[in-house]
Amino acid sequence: MRIEVSRHPDIEKGGPYVFVCNHQNSWEIFTIAAMLPKNTVTVGKKSLRWIPFFGWLYWLAGNILIDRKNAGKAHGTIGQTADAIKQRDISVWMFPEGTRSYGRGLLPFKNGAFHTAFRAQVDVVPVCVSELHGKVKMNRWNNGVLKVAFLEPVRIANYQRENLRELSGHCHQLMDDKIKQLNTSIEREQAEKDKS
């Protein structure tokens, strides 16, 4: 699969950031690893640490592990993640849907990523990945193209704690529109290729 990545030019001027990305399926272990910006860690389930090799490397690489079964611990993790951003001068990659969509489109967002950005006082960068569900087949050499767009940073300074839901809704709308645009672009390019 060929991955085409576009980045808004303002991203290079700032940071660290909270990157928020749509969450589709397990192939993201490979696709996201190929596009993760430098000095960026991810936030994952605490249970990942117990997966032999992958989980150990994931944890040792400085990624942040949360206990999703314990709401109190998860709220504490927002603080820990925000502190890590400030102390280690790192960006954090998060999936605000909280679960994989498996072809159901962009699911509703949870608010943890936005609370983290607010607490760390860093901007949010929406990252949009075209439809990946059902596109990868192991017995096929060419699995097409995956388009990724890093959108313009959304300024955290424009929001207060009371209107973080508005920030979440704004990012959801931006991402939903862009993902549809990326999918349409891929379909159009494929149709043109099929004609020639």
PDB file of all heavy atoms in Angstrom, residues 4-6 46 58 81 87 91 94 105 123 126 130 132 134-135 144 166 184 193:
ATOM      1  N   GLU A   4       0.236   8.324   0.949  1.00  0.00           N
ATOM      2  CA  GLU A   4       0.474   9.706   0.550  1.00  0.00           C
ATOM      3  C   GLU A   4       0.086  10.613   1.710  1.00  0.00           C
ATOM      4  O   GLU A   4      -1.059  10.606   2.152  1.00  0.00           O
ATOM      5  CB  GLU A   4      -0.366  10.064  -0.680  1.00  0.00           C
ATOM      6  CG  GLU A   4       0.030   9.312  -1.935  1.00  0.00           C
ATOM      7  CD  GLU A   4      -0.841   9.672  -3.131  1.00  0.00           C
ATOM      8  OE1 GLU A   4      -1.741  10.542  -2.988  1.00  0.00           O
ATOM      9  OE2 GLU A   4      -0.629   9.082  -4.207  1.00  0.00           O
ATOM     10  N   VAL A   5       1.048  11.384   2.188  1.00  0.00           N
ATOM     11  CA  VAL A   5       0.824  12.237   3.359  1.00  0.00           C
ATOM     12  C   VAL A   5       0.961  13.701   2.974  1.00  0.00           C
ATOM     13  O   VAL A   5       1.928  14.095   2.332  1.00  0.00           O
ATOM     14  CB  VAL A   5       1.835  11.899   4.477  1.00  0.00           C
ATOM     15  CG1 VAL A   5       1.596  12.773   5.707  1.00  0.00           C
ATOM     16  CG2 VAL A   5       1.758  10.425   4.864  1.00  0.00           C
ATOM     17  N   SER A   6      -0.024  14.509   3.389  1.00  0.00           N
ATOM     18  CA  SER A   6       0.088  15.963   3.227  1.00  0.00           C
ATOM     19  C   SER A   6       0.008  16.594   4.615  1.00  0.00           C
ATOM     20  O   SER A   6      -0.750  16.123   5.476  1.00  0.00           O
ATOM     21  CB  SER A   6      -1.019  16.498   2.325  1.00  0.00           C
ATOM     22  OG  SER A   6      -2.285  16.312   2.928  1.00  0.00           O
ATOM     23  N   LYS A  46      -3.658  -0.105  28.703  1.00  0.00           N
ATOM     24  CA  LYS A  46      -2.649  -0.666  29.602  1.00  0.00           C
ATOM     25  C   LYS A  46      -2.367  -2.131  29.287  1.00  0.00           C
ATOM     26  O   LYS A  46      -1.241  -2.608  29.420  1.00  0.00           O
ATOM     27  CB  LYS A  46      -3.145  -0.516  31.041  1.00  0.00           C
ATOM     28  CG  LYS A  46      -2.110  -0.776  32.092  1.00  0.00           C
ATOM     29  CD  LYS A  46      -2.685  -0.490  33.466  1.00  0.00           C
ATOM     30  CE  LYS A  46      -1.622  -0.662  34.528  1.00  0.00           C
ATOM     31  NZ  LYS A  46      -2.153  -0.364  35.864  1.00  0.00           N
ATOM     32  N   TYR A  58       6.435  -1.295  22.829  1.00  0.00           N
ATOM     33  CA  TYR A  58       5.505  -0.161  22.868  1.00  0.00           C
ATOM     34  C   TYR A  58       5.681   0.611  24.183  1.00  0.00           C
ATOM     35  O   TYR A  58       5.783   1.840  24.187  1.00  0.00           O
ATOM     36  CB  TYR A  58       4.075  -0.695  22.727  1.00  0.00           C
ATOM     37  CG  TYR A  58       3.013   0.370  22.682  1.00  0.00           C
ATOM     38  CD1 TYR A  58       2.709   1.024  21.497  1.00  0.00           C
ATOM     39  CD2 TYR A  58       2.300   0.723  23.828  1.00  0.00           C
ATOM     40  CE1 TYR A  58       1.720   2.007  21.453  1.00  0.00           C
ATOM     41  CE2 TYR A  58       1.322   1.694  23.792  1.00  0.00           C
ATOM     42  CZ  TYR A  58       1.036   2.336  22.599  1.00  0.00           C
ATOM     43  OH  TYR A  58       0.066   3.309  22.571  1.00  0.00           O
ATOM     44  N   THR A  81      -0.600  12.524  31.026  1.00  0.00           N
ATOM     45  CA  THR A  81      -0.277  12.753  29.618  1.00  0.00           C
ATOM     46  C   THR A  81       0.061  14.217  29.382  1.00  0.00           C
ATOM     47  O   THR A  81       1.043  14.539  28.706  1.00  0.00           O
ATOM     48  CB  THR A  81      -1.449  12.317  28.712  1.00  0.00           C
ATOM     49  OG1 THR A  81      -1.789  10.959  29.013  1.00  0.00           O
ATOM     50  CG2 THR A  81      -1.096  12.436  27.248  1.00  0.00           C
ATOM     51  N   GLN A  87       6.738  18.226  30.246  1.00  0.00           N
ATOM     52  CA  GLN A  87       8.054  17.894  30.803  1.00  0.00           C
ATOM     53  C   GLN A  87       9.004  17.313  29.763  1.00  0.00           C
ATOM     54  O   GLN A  87      10.191  17.611  29.761  1.00  0.00           O
ATOM     55  CB  GLN A  87       7.893  16.904  31.961  1.00  0.00           C
ATOM     56  CG  GLN A  87       7.226  17.509  33.171  1.00  0.00           C
ATOM     57  CD  GLN A  87       6.740  16.462  34.168  1.00  0.00           C
ATOM     58  OE1 GLN A  87       7.017  15.272  34.027  1.00  0.00           O
ATOM     59  NE2 GLN A  87       5.993  16.903  35.167  1.00  0.00           N
ATOM     60  N   SER A  91       4.916  15.407  21.543  1.00  0.00           N
ATOM     61  CA  SER A  91       3.535  15.426  21.069  1.00  0.00           C
ATOM     62  C   SER A  91       2.909  14.071  21.383  1.00  0.00           C
ATOM     63  O   SER A  91       3.621  13.077  21.578  1.00  0.00           O
ATOM     64  CB  SER A  91       3.505  15.674  19.560  1.00  0.00           C
ATOM     65  OG  SER A  91       3.968  16.972  19.254  1.00  0.00           O
ATOM     66  N   MET A  94      -3.491  10.565  19.577  1.00  0.00           N
ATOM     67  CA  MET A  94      -4.641   9.958  20.241  1.00  0.00           C
ATOM     68  C   MET A  94      -5.757   9.650  19.242  1.00  0.00           C
ATOM     69  O   MET A  94      -5.858  10.299  18.194  1.00  0.00           O
ATOM     70  CB  MET A  94      -5.167  10.888  21.339  1.00  0.00           C
ATOM     71  CG  MET A  94      -4.119  11.206  22.402  1.00  0.00           C
ATOM     72  SD  MET A  94      -4.719  12.295  23.708  1.00  0.00           S
ATOM     73  CE  MET A  94      -5.507  11.095  24.783  1.00  0.00           C
ATOM     74  N   GLY A 105     -17.448   4.479   9.428  1.00  0.00           N
ATOM     75  CA  GLY A 105     -17.280   5.926   9.334  1.00  0.00           C
ATOM     76  C   GLY A 105     -16.687   6.486  10.618  1.00  0.00           C
ATOM     77  O   GLY A 105     -16.280   5.743  11.511  1.00  0.00           O
ATOM     78  N   ASP A 123      -1.848  23.003  21.023  1.00  0.00           N
ATOM     79  CA  ASP A 123      -2.861  22.972  19.969  1.00  0.00           C
ATOM     80  C   ASP A 123      -3.166  21.537  19.534  1.00  0.00           C
ATOM     81  O   ASP A 123      -2.372  20.621  19.753  1.00  0.00           O
ATOM     82  CB  ASP A 123      -2.392  23.788  18.767  1.00  0.00           C
ATOM     83  CG  ASP A 123      -2.250  25.275  19.104  1.00  0.00           C
ATOM     84  OD1 ASP A 123      -2.929  25.738  20.043  1.00  0.00           O
ATOM     85  OD2 ASP A 123      -1.458  25.955  18.440  1.00  0.00           O
ATOM     86  N   PRO A 126      -5.863  17.850  13.828  1.00  0.00           N
ATOM     87  CA  PRO A 126      -6.657  16.733  13.304  1.00  0.00           C
ATOM     88  C   PRO A 126      -5.882  16.017  12.186  1.00  0.00           C
ATOM     89  O   PRO A 126      -5.310  16.667  11.312  1.00  0.00           O
ATOM     90  CB  PRO A 126      -7.913  17.417  12.743  1.00  0.00           C
ATOM     91  CG  PRO A 126      -7.933  18.785  13.372  1.00  0.00           C
ATOM     92  CD  PRO A 126      -6.501  19.148  13.562  1.00  0.00           C
ATOM     93  N   SER A 130      -7.758   8.205   4.947  1.00  0.00           N
ATOM     94  CA  SER A 130      -8.805   7.687   4.062  1.00  0.00           C
ATOM     95  C   SER A 130      -9.206   6.272   4.476  1.00  0.00           C
ATOM     96  O   SER A 130      -8.523   5.625   5.264  1.00  0.00           O
ATOM     97  CB  SER A 130      -8.332   7.714   2.605  1.00  0.00           C
ATOM     98  OG  SER A 130      -7.227   6.846   2.424  1.00  0.00           O
ATOM     99  N   LEU A 132      -9.600   2.672   5.180  1.00  0.00           N
ATOM    100  CA  LEU A 132      -8.636   1.574   5.200  1.00  0.00           C
ATOM    101  C   LEU A 132      -9.339   0.228   5.333  1.00  0.00           C
ATOM    102  O   LEU A 132      -8.823  -0.802   4.917  1.00  0.00           O
ATOM    103  CB  LEU A 132      -7.657   1.789   6.371  1.00  0.00           C
ATOM    104  CG  LEU A 132      -6.562   0.761   6.611  1.00  0.00           C
ATOM    105  CD1 LEU A 132      -5.636   0.659   5.407  1.00  0.00           C
ATOM    106  CD2 LEU A 132      -5.755   1.129   7.848  1.00  0.00           C
ATOM    107  N   GLY A 134     -11.121  -3.041   4.872  1.00  0.00           N
ATOM    108  CA  GLY A 134     -11.357  -3.935   3.742  1.00  0.00           C
ATOM    109  C   GLY A 134     -10.451  -3.698   2.546  1.00  0.00           C
ATOM    110  O   GLY A 134     -10.625  -4.314   1.503  1.00  0.00           O
ATOM    111  N   LYS A 135      -9.470  -2.812   2.682  1.00  0.00           N
ATOM    112  CA  LYS A 135      -8.599  -2.480   1.548  1.00  0.00           C
ATOM    113  C   LYS A 135      -7.358  -3.368   1.468  1.00  0.00           C
ATOM    114  O   LYS A 135      -6.763  -3.511   0.413  1.00  0.00           O
ATOM    115  CB  LYS A 135      -8.139  -1.016   1.640  1.00  0.00           C
ATOM    116  CG  LYS A 135      -9.261   0.001   1.557  1.00  0.00           C
ATOM    117  CD  LYS A 135      -9.702   0.212   0.125  1.00  0.00           C
ATOM    118  CE  LYS A 135     -10.898   1.103   0.008  1.00  0.00           C
ATOM    119  NZ  LYS A 135     -10.604   2.488  -0.158  1.00  0.00           N
ATOM    120  N   GLY A 144      -3.343  -0.575  -3.315  1.00  0.00           N
ATOM    121  CA  GLY A 144      -3.825   0.778  -3.600  1.00  0.00           C
ATOM    122  C   GLY A 144      -3.100   1.852  -2.811  1.00  0.00           C
ATOM    123  O   GLY A 144      -1.952   1.696  -2.405  1.00  0.00           O
ATOM    124  N   GLU A 166     -17.337  21.804  22.348  1.00  0.00           N
ATOM    125  CA  GLU A 166     -17.402  22.552  21.090  1.00  0.00           C
ATOM    126  C   GLU A 166     -16.135  22.299  20.262  1.00  0.00           C
ATOM    127  O   GLU A 166     -16.203  22.118  19.044  1.00  0.00           O
ATOM    128  CB  GLU A 166     -17.532  24.046  21.407  1.00  0.00           C
ATOM    129  CG  GLU A 166     -17.770  24.935  20.221  1.00  0.00           C
ATOM    130  CD  GLU A 166     -17.808  26.401  20.629  1.00  0.00           C
ATOM    131  OE1 GLU A 166     -18.438  26.716  21.661  1.00  0.00           O
ATOM    132  OE2 GLU A 166     -17.189  27.208  19.913  1.00  0.00           O
ATOM    133  N   THR A 184     -13.227  10.311  -1.771  1.00  0.00           N
ATOM    134  CA  THR A 184     -13.709  10.684  -3.102  1.00  0.00           C
ATOM    135  C   THR A 184     -12.545  10.847  -4.070  1.00  0.00           C
ATOM    136  O   THR A 184     -12.609  10.400  -5.223  1.00  0.00           O
ATOM    137  CB  THR A 184     -14.533  11.990  -3.029  1.00  0.00           C
ATOM    138  OG1 THR A 184     -15.628  11.779  -2.137  1.00  0.00           O
ATOM    139  CG2 THR A 184     -15.064  12.398  -4.385  1.00  0.00           C
ATOM    140  N   LYS A 193      -7.875   5.737 -13.673  1.00  0.00           N
ATOM    141  CA  LYS A 193      -6.880   4.703 -13.978  1.00  0.00           C
ATOM    142  C   LYS A 193      -7.539   3.533 -14.704  1.00  0.00           C
ATOM    143  O   LYS A 193      -6.963   2.958 -15.639  1.00  0.00           O
ATOM    144  CB  LYS A 193      -6.235   4.216 -12.671  1.00  0.00           C
ATOM    145  CG  LYS A 193      -4.905   3.506 -12.862  1.00  0.00           C
ATOM    146  CD  LYS A 193      -4.326   3.077 -11.528  1.00  0.00           C
ATOM    147  CE  LYS A 193      -3.631   4.233 -10.821  1.00  0.00           C
ATOM    148  NZ  LYS A 193      -2.937   3.789  -9.598  1.00  0.00           N
TER     149      LYS A 193
END
